[in-house]
């Protein structure tokens, strides 16, 4: 088939439908990300309980990643995405229902936060697994597709974060959660109507159907691929630090210094805006650059933003510096996504992506708890100093790990046997 004929057969509509569903769902999630911790701070004034809230947000992501990946492969990516979105919408809607009808105790909020996050993770993983097939169908390179996917993820912060801060002031935190519940249902509808679920590789008839045996296959694949294993370990360390920053330090800092949820929204929007710009630049020229050098340099660059918090500057300074240094975040996820899609067999995406997500997020619940406790014990300034030094050491070390240079070598995926 000629190049012109191939181009004529390309259909980008399903890919852009996936992007649209992600935008709607992610904006709703940003509402929850801001509204729930702010609700806890308003009602308790406790950094420790804010950390506990973060713990119950991240823990289900880890559990669902480990145990839900195989289920995703079995159900199919489209079906899993729809079921998870509908279930997450219901769980999220129960928060304002309980709040307005019978009152909402802290432990009840934690249960609903846990259930919502537990159901949300398989949906995100399933949509992520759909990306390579839809990119091929659209005639788009995997680097560009992953870049656009992560630009959308970051871009949702630009839309969702300041809007959430504004709406919390106008509507209250409980009412904002209604919008998140609706967003899940709209996302499910788009996926259901616009995308056909098709796996590139069919499961072998003679292959084991034991659920836990299939889970072990995903773990074995990661342990045997030294680059993927190293990426997971590094992601665990950096996510641990990010959980302390985003889940505890930043909202506590904004409440103490600026006193308004709009400040949290503006900072998240700035971080998302910088990452979007960096991601768009990478989508345009990233395939021409060495992945490892760009990855390490960009990661180090993002960590500079932590040091500006020490001077307690005007909010505008943190917004500007957050925008600038978040440029480095733009290429990170697209590079990792391209490497993963090149190395992970299509029929194992659910369980391997789920395990990667769970493993890399394993330290985040601990980060939330430790961040809340030590922030109350040692104060914001010492925590930011420790965070900046630790992040720098971890990111610089990536330049000297030999296996990480394999990022530069593109690998053709073969069927895992």
């Amino acid at each position: 088939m000629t190049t012109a004929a191939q181009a004529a057969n390309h259909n980008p509509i399903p890919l852009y439908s996936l992007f649209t569903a992600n935008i709607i769902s992610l904006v709703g999630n940003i509402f929850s990300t801001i509204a729930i911790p702010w609700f806890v701070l308003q009602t308790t004034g406790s950094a420790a309980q804010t950390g506990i809230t973060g713990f119950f947000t991240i823990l289900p992501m880890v559990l669902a990643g480990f145990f839900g990946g195989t289920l995703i492969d079995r159900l199919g990516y489209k079906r899993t995405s729809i079921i998870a979105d509908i279930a997450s919408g219901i769980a999220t809607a129960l928060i304002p229902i309980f709040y307005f009808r019978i009152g909402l105790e802290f432990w009840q909020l934690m249960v609903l936060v846990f259930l919502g996050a537990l159901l949300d993770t398989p949906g995100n993983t399933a949509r992520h697994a759909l990306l390579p097939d839809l990119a091929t169908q659209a005639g788009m390179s995997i680097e560009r597709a992953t870049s656009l996917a992560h630009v959308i993820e970051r871009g949702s912060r630009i839309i969702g974060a300041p809007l959430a801060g504004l709406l919390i002031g106008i509507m209250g935190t409980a009412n904002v959660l209604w919008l998140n519940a609706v967003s899940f249902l709209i996302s499910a509808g788009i996926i259901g109507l616009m995308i056909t679920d098709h796996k590139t590789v069919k499961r072998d008839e003679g292959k084991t159907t034991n659920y836990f045996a299939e889970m072990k296959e995903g773990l074995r694949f990661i342990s045997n691929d030294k680059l993927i294993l190293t990426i997971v370990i590094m992601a665990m360390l950096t996510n641990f630090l990010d959980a302390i920053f985003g889940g505890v330090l930043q909202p506590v800092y904004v409440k103490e210094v600026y006193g308004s949820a709009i400040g949290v929204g503006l900072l998240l929007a700035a971080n998302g805006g910088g990452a979007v710009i960096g991601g768009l630049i990478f989508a345009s020229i990233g395939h021409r650059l060495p992945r490892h050098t760009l990855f390490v340099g960009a990661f180090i660059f993002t960590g500079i933003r932590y040091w500006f918090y020490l001077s307690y500057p005007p909010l505008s300074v943190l917004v500007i510096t957050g925008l600038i240094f978040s440029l480095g975040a733009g290429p990170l996820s697209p590079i990792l996504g391209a490497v993963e899609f090149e190395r992970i067999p299509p029929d194992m995406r659910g369980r391997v992506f789920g395990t990667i997500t769970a493993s890399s997020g394993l330290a985040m619940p601990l980060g939330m708890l430790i961040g809340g406790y030590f922030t109350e014990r040692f104060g914001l300034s010492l925590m930011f100093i420790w965070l900046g030094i630790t992040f720098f050491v971890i990111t610089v070390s990536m330049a000297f790990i030999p296996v990480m240079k394999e990022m530069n070598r593109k690998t053709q995926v073969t069927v895992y046997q």
Side-chain angles (χ1 to χ4, degrees), residues 250-264:
Q250 191 175 62
V252 171
Y253 184 97
V254 170
K255 190 172 190 311
E256 288 189 6
V257 180
Y258 309 115
S260 171
I262 295 176
V264 179

Side-chain angles (χ1 to χ4, degrees), residues 14-72:
L15 178 63
Y16 287 103
S17 297
L18 177 68
F19 288 160
T20 302
N22 279 341
I23 290 172
I24 295 170
S25 180
L26 289 167
V27 168
N29 273 333
I30 291 296
F31 283 7
S32 289
T33 299
I34 295 176
I36 292 175
W38 196 259
F39 177 79
V40 174
L41 281 172
Q42 279 185 323
T43 55
T44 69
S46 170
Q49 287 193 323
T50 304
I52 293 171
T53 304
F55 175 85
F56 281 101
T57 302
I58 302 300
L59 179 62
M61 179 190 76
V62 176
L63 296 176
F66 275 127
F67 295 104
T70 301
L71 183 64
I72 294 169

Side-chain angles (χ1 to χ4, degrees), residues 18-337:
L18 177 68
F19 288 160
T20 302
N22 279 341
I23 290 172
I24 295 170
S25 180
L26 289 167
V27 168
N29 273 333
I30 291 296
F31 283 7
S32 289
T33 299
I34 295 176
I36 292 175
W38 196 259
F39 177 79
V40 174
L41 281 172
Q42 279 185 323
T43 55
T44 69
S46 170
Q49 287 193 323
T50 304
I52 293 171
T53 304
F55 175 85
F56 281 101
T57 302
I58 302 300
L59 179 62
M61 179 190 76
V62 176
L63 296 176
F66 275 127
F67 295 104
T70 301
L71 183 64
I72 294 169
D73 285 333
R74 290 187 168 206
L75 289 178
Y77 306 143
K78 174 181 174 178
R79 185 184 302 174
T80 302
S81 177
I82 294 171
I83 293 172
D85 276 347
I86 293 173
S88 292
I90 293 172
T92 303
L94 286 174
I95 296 177
I97 289 174
F98 277 31
Y99 180 73
F100 287 119
R101 295 292 182 181
I102 62 175
L104 186 65
E105 300 292 336
F106 182 71
W107 71 266
Q108 294 171 325
L109 176 62
M110 294 302 97
V111 171
L112 293 175
V113 167
F114 181 91
L115 290 176
L118 181 70
L119 300 169
D120 187 35
T121 299
N124 290 333
T125 302
R127 285 194 294 274
H128 185 59
L130 283 167
L131 187 61
D133 292 336
L134 298 185
T136 300
Q137 188 177 352
M140 184 181 294
S141 70
I142 191 62
E143 285 93 350
R144 181 159 296 179
T146 54
S147 294
L148 291 177
H150 290 289
V151 162
I152 286 169
E153 180 183 345
R154 300 287 186 169
S156 65
R157 296 185 181 184
I158 299 176
I159 301 170
L163 184 59
L166 178 64
L167 291 177
I168 286 171
I170 296 173
M171 301 169 58
T173 55
N175 284 323
V176 168
L177 293 174
W178 280 114
L179 300 178
N180 187 21
V182 171
S183 72
F184 280 116
L185 300 180
I186 295 174
S187 174
I190 292 173
I191 297 294
L193 293 173
M194 304 302 296
I195 293 175
T196 300
D197 194 7
H198 59 280
K199 290 188 180 181
T200 304
V201 179
K202 295 187 180 297
R203 299 174 61 82
D204 294 338
E205 294 295 332
K207 208 167 187 178
T208 178
T209 58
N210 182 277
Y211 191 90
F212 290 100
E214 292 179 24
M215 283 180 55
K216 290 179 181 178
E217 285 182 354
L219 290 168
R220 186 165 59 249
F221 178 87
I222 293 173
S223 64
N224 290 338
D225 190 310
K226 301 307 180 187
L227 175 57
I228 297 293
L229 180 61
T230 303
I231 287 173
V232 169
I233 293 171
M234 289 297 158
M236 287 177 64
L237 295 174
T238 54
N239 285 345
F240 173 78
L241 300 178
D242 283 341
I244 294 174
F245 172 70
V248 180
L249 288 181
Q250 191 175 62
V252 171
Y253 184 97
V254 170
K255 190 172 190 311
E256 288 189 6
V257 180
Y258 309 115
S260 171
I262 295 176
V264 179
L266 289 174
L267 289 172
L268 287 176
N271 293 341
V276 165
I277 296 170
L280 289 173
I281 294 171
F282 179 79
S284 301
I285 63 173
H287 59 283
R288 304 190 188 101
L289 303 174
R291 289 176 179 174
H292 178 247
T293 301
L294 178 61
F295 183 82
V296 175
F299 230 141
I300 294 172
F301 187 72
T302 62
I304 299 175
R305 61 181 172 150
Y306 298 136
W307 296 99
F308 287 87
Y309 284 78
L310 287 172
S311 62
Y312 293 83
L315 180 62
S316 59
V317 173
L318 291 184
V319 170
I320 293 171
T321 55
L323 177 69
I324 293 172
F325 293 105
S326 292
L327 288 170
L332 299 180
S333 292
I335 289 174
L336 293 180

Side-chain angles (χ1 to χ4, degrees), residues 371-395:
Y373 173 76
F374 282 106
T375 298
E376 287 193 343
R377 183 175 178 84
F378 297 111
L380 289 166
S381 295
L382 283 178
M383 288 297 293
F384 273 111
I385 292 172
W386 173 83
L387 181 68
I389 293 173
T390 306
F391 190 89
F392 178 76
V393 171
I394 291 172
T395 50

